[in-house]
């Protein structure tokens, strides 16, 4: 079995910035409420004609360039998203095609905001066993396309973006040290986009009832998130034989600053080791963690040998975490 690490990262967010004040024009809310209750100040919104595959393509391209990997050398493309271009075909197939990754298997993975963690956990199994040498994992969302813009309790929370990582074998002792994944479908209805699938196919009624938009029981999701984030971070560190004192950097899912604060307190790590991007991007679902990872690396916040904990929760309900010992150089293996 090979050790598997991240040897390249990339991200992309749309140019259009939407501030809290912009919402004041069409829903009963204000900047003070949004920033004090969530920590969010602004988010990026994709143009109407920009599907998620475009964001994923841009992020994937940058990650491949960063890793110095040619598209035809990619063996696997996974796109984690809850806002695919189509119900089918998979967005991963469209992105692989645009990248020129013609030798890659490609599929989508749906685990909401935990999608990127599920994605790297899945891809790393293929690389660890030697079945594949190079995997590209992308978390991308256009949440703006599935929001009810009249519902102030949800439309203010989300943003659009994509982040990507290239996985390859790395020197032993580096790369992913542990994973922890979980799911509880009994909470599935707490956060969903009910219509458009086989239970409620699109109809006039589903449109009139706004069932193609995000429905969320905010308080219940909040309580679940506060409990699970701390728990899963502690578990994944234990699995790696580490404690909170070994953590150099924590990248939590970016849903609400109060959720992050509670998890950080529970874990007992210093807040200056925690990466925050929700103030400028809102909750980008599966894209939040990989965008934060890419920007942290590019800003020089990650050094060789650093121990990084990434932890997320999301619709499903799902949760997941991983411990990564940073080493960007891939191992030279004989094909
Ligand atoms: N502006 C002004 N007032 C608002 C707004 C708003 N945007 N939204 C809600 N309110 C009001 C409510 O109507 C309520 O008014 P009332 O007391 O008169 O009924 C009051 O503010 C308090 O509402 P709460 O829901 O209790 O507010 P809370 O402090 O719980 O914050 C929030 C709501 C931000 C949604 C919070 O519950 C939260 O962050 N939940 C978790 C959401 C989350 O993490 N989602 C992502 C999941 S990940 C994925 O897979 C996509």
């Amino acid at each position: 079995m090979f050790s598997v690490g991240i040897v390249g990262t990339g991200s992309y967010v749309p140019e259009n910035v939407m501030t809290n004040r912009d919402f004041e024009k069409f829903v009963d809310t204000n900047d003070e409420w949004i920033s004090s209750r969530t920590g969010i100040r602004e988010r990026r919104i994709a143009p109407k004609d920009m599907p998620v595959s475009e964001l994923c393509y841009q992020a994937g391209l940058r990650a491949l360039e960063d890793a110095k990997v040619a598209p035809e050398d990619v063996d696997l493309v996974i796109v984690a998203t809850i806002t695919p271009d189509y119900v089918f075909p998979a967005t991963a197939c469209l992105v692989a095609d645009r990248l020129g990754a013609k030798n890659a298997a490609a599929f989508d993975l749906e685990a909401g905001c935990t999608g990127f963690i599920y994605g790297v956990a899945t891809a790393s199994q293929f690389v660890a066993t030697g079945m594949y040498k190079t995997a590209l994992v992308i978390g991308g969302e256009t949440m703006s396309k599935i929001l009810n813009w009249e519902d102030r309790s949800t439309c203010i929370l989300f943003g659009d973006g994509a982040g990507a990582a290239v996985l390859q074998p790395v020197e032993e002792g580096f790369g992913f040290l542990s994973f922890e994944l979980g799911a509880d479908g009994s909470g599935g209805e707490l956060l969903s986009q009910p219509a458009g699938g086989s239970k409620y196919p699109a109809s006039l009624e589903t449109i009139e009832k706004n069932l193609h938009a995000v429905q969320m029981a905010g308080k219940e999701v909040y309580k679940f998130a506060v409990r699970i984030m701390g728990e899963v971070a502690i578990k994944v560190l234990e699995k790696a034989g580490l404690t909170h004192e070994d953590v150099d950097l924590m990248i939590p899912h970016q849903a609400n600053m109060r959720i992050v604060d509670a998890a950080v307190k529970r874990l007992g790590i210093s807040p200056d080791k925690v990466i925050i991007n929700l103030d400028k991007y809102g909750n980008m679902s599966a894209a939040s963690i990989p965008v934060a990872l890419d920007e942290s690396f590019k800003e020089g916040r990650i050094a060789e040998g650093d121990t990084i904990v990434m932890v997320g929760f999301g619709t499903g309900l799902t949760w997941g975490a991983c411990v990564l010992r940073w080493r960007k150089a891939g191992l030279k293996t004989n094909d």
Side-chain angles (χ1 to χ4, degrees):
M1 297 282 267
F2 294 105
S3 295
V4 183
I6 290 180
V7 301
T9 61
S11 62
Y12 179 78
V13 291
E15 277 173 25
N16 180 33
V17 176
M18 186 167 181
T19 66
N20 290 348
R21 286 197 165 278
D22 292 330
F23 286 91
E24 295 174 5
K25 293 169 205 151
F26 59 91
V27 279
D28 181 14
T29 190
N30 56 71
D31 177 36
E32 209 283 317
W33 194 96
I34 301 173
S35 47
S36 64
R37 293 292 183 114
T38 69
I40 300 165
R41 296 190 176 280
E42 57 188 46
R43 68 288 289 144
R44 301 300 180 95
I45 304 293
K48 274 206 159 53
D49 61 352
M50 185 183 281
V52 79
S53 61
E54 174 64 25
L55 277 64
C56 293
Y57 163 72
Q58 295 291 347
L61 190 65
R62 289 163 198 209
L64 291 179
E65 279 168 9
D66 186 45
K68 299 185 177 58
V69 167
E72 57 272 19
D73 291 334
V74 176
D75 303 303
L76 174 66
V77 177
I78 297 177
V79 170
T81 188
I82 53 170
T83 51
D85 281 21
Y86 309 112
V87 174
F88 63 89
T91 301
C93 297
L94 310 175
V95 174
D97 178 54
R98 273 204 69 194
L99 288 169
K102 34 179 178 301
N103 300 310
F107 61 88
D108 285 0
L109 185 156
E110 194 206 290
C113 306
T114 326
F116 181 73
I117 305 284
Y118 265 71
V120 289
T122 304
S124 75
Q125 310 309 310
F126 288 96
V127 180
T129 56
M131 179 169 170
Y132 292 143
K133 190 183 164 209
T134 303
L136 174 64
V137 179
I138 306 172
E141 303 285 9
T142 45
M143 294 302 291
S144 65
K145 317 253 185 193
I146 59 161
L147 292 174
N148 174 357
W149 290 94
E150 290 170 8
D151 175 9
R152 66 177 181 175
S153 67
T154 52
C155 70
I156 52 121
L157 297 173
F158 298 96
D160 301 337
V166 178
L167 274 60
Q168 278 187 346
V170 293
E171 194 184 320
E172 210 182 320
F174 292 91
F176 291 104
L177 305 183
S178 61
F179 291 106
E180 176 71 24
L181 302 177
D184 176 7
S186 71
E189 289 186 0
L190 295 179
L191 179 51
S192 67
Q193 181 193 346
S198 59
K199 186 158 183 181
Y200 303 114
S203 67
L204 205 54
E205 191 188 350
T206 61
I207 292 168
E208 278 166 1
K209 289 185 173 167
N210 249 325
L211 297 180
H212 295 269
V214 170
Q215 321 275 318
M216 183 174 73
K219 260 201 182 12
E220 280 66 31
V221 176
Y222 184 89
K223 279 189 242 157
F224 155 73
V226 163
R227 178 177 61 78
I228 206 74
M229 288 273 273
E231 253 174 51
V232 72
I234 290 167
K235 253 194 205 160
V236 81
L237 280 165
E238 273 171 12
K239 267 192 177 173
L242 302 174
T243 73
H244 68 277
E245 290 176 0
D246 301 302
V247 176
D248 296 299
L249 209 70
M250 178 176 173
I251 305 182
H253 174 53
Q254 314 273 322
N256 185 317
M257 199 55 212
R258 292 184 291 148
I259 296 173
V260 173
D261 285 344
V264 168
K265 204 164 154 206
R266 170 96 193 270
L267 198 58
I269 76 165
S270 163
D272 62 2
K273 292 182 174 174
V274 181
I275 300 295
I276 300 300
N277 68 9
L278 64 82
D279 52 336
K280 51 181 186 170
Y281 297 139
N283 180 351
M284 296 184 291
S285 184
S288 281
I289 290 177
V291 169
L293 177 70
D294 179 51
E295 291 189 348
S296 304
F297 177 67
K298 306 279 158 68
E299 286 162 13
R301 288 197 67 176
I302 302 177
E304 178 88 358
D306 274 358
T307 300
I308 303 167
V309 177
M310 298 190 259
V311 54
F313 68 94
T315 176
L317 299 166
T318 59
W319 56 91
C322 60
V323 178
L324 175 67
R325 183 154 294 149
W326 189 258
R327 167 132 189 141
K328 214 163 152 275
L331 196 66
K332 299 266 173 288
T333 56
N334 297 323
D335 286 333

